[in-house]
Amino acid sequence: MRRVVLSFAICLCVSLPVEAQEGDAAAGAVVFKKCAICHAADTDTNKVGPSLHGVIGRTAGTHPDFKYSTAMVDAGAGGLVWDEATLRDYLHNPKAKLKGTKMVFAGLKDDTDISNLLAYLKQYSP
C-alpha cells in the first residue's frame, strides 16, 4: 500500500509542473495586451515591433520588411530560433537575453503569464 501511495504522489508531483507550463490561451490574450502596443499576433502585420504571427519556429531577426537591431539579426544568424524555451527566457528579461535588442519592454516576471502568453502565440504559429 505504501508503494501505491508513494507512486501516486510521485506521479502527481511530476505531472504538476507540466500542466502549469501549458498555459491558457484566453488568459494569454489578456497578457498580450501589454505586447499589442508594438506587436500583432493575429495578423502578419509589422507595427513598431515585428509581427508575432508565426513566431514560434521562426529564426530570430528574419520577419520580412522589419528593421531589426544588429543584435537580433546576429542572434538569428548564430542559430537562435524562437521556440517555447527561448521565448520564455527572452520574455523574462529581453535585454539580459539579447544585449543590444531594440525592444524596450522590461519583461514578464510571472511564469504563469509567460505560459499563458505562449499558449496564445501558439494559436498563430504553425
Side-chain angles (χ1 to χ4, degrees), residues 32-46:
F32 187 76
K33 289 179 182 179
K34 297 176 184 179
C35 312
I37 296 165
C38 298
H39 298 280
D42 59 343
T43 64
D44 197 17
T45 305
N46 293 326

Side-chain angles (χ1 to χ4, degrees), residues 55-102:
V55 70
I56 297 174
R58 182 190 305 158
T59 300
T62 62
H63 190 273
D65 302 320
F66 187 79
K67 178 128 174 74
Y68 287 95
S69 65
T70 302
M72 188 65 74
V73 172
D74 290 348
L80 178 62
V81 174
W82 296 121
D83 60 19
E84 289 185 53
T86 56
L87 281 167
R88 180 174 296 281
D89 193 29
Y90 183 73
L91 290 168
H92 267 290
N93 189 340
K95 292 198 179 285
K97 173 69 176 172
L98 193 61
K99 295 192 183 338
T101 183
K102 292 192 300 186

Side-chain angles (χ1 to χ4, degrees), residues 7-23 88 111-112 115:
S7 295
F8 178 74
I10 290 171
C11 288
L12 183 62
C13 290
V14 169
S15 68
L16 285 177
V18 173
E19 290 174 20
Q21 297 286 326
E22 285 301 312
R88 180 174 296 281
D111 288 327
T112 301
S115 294

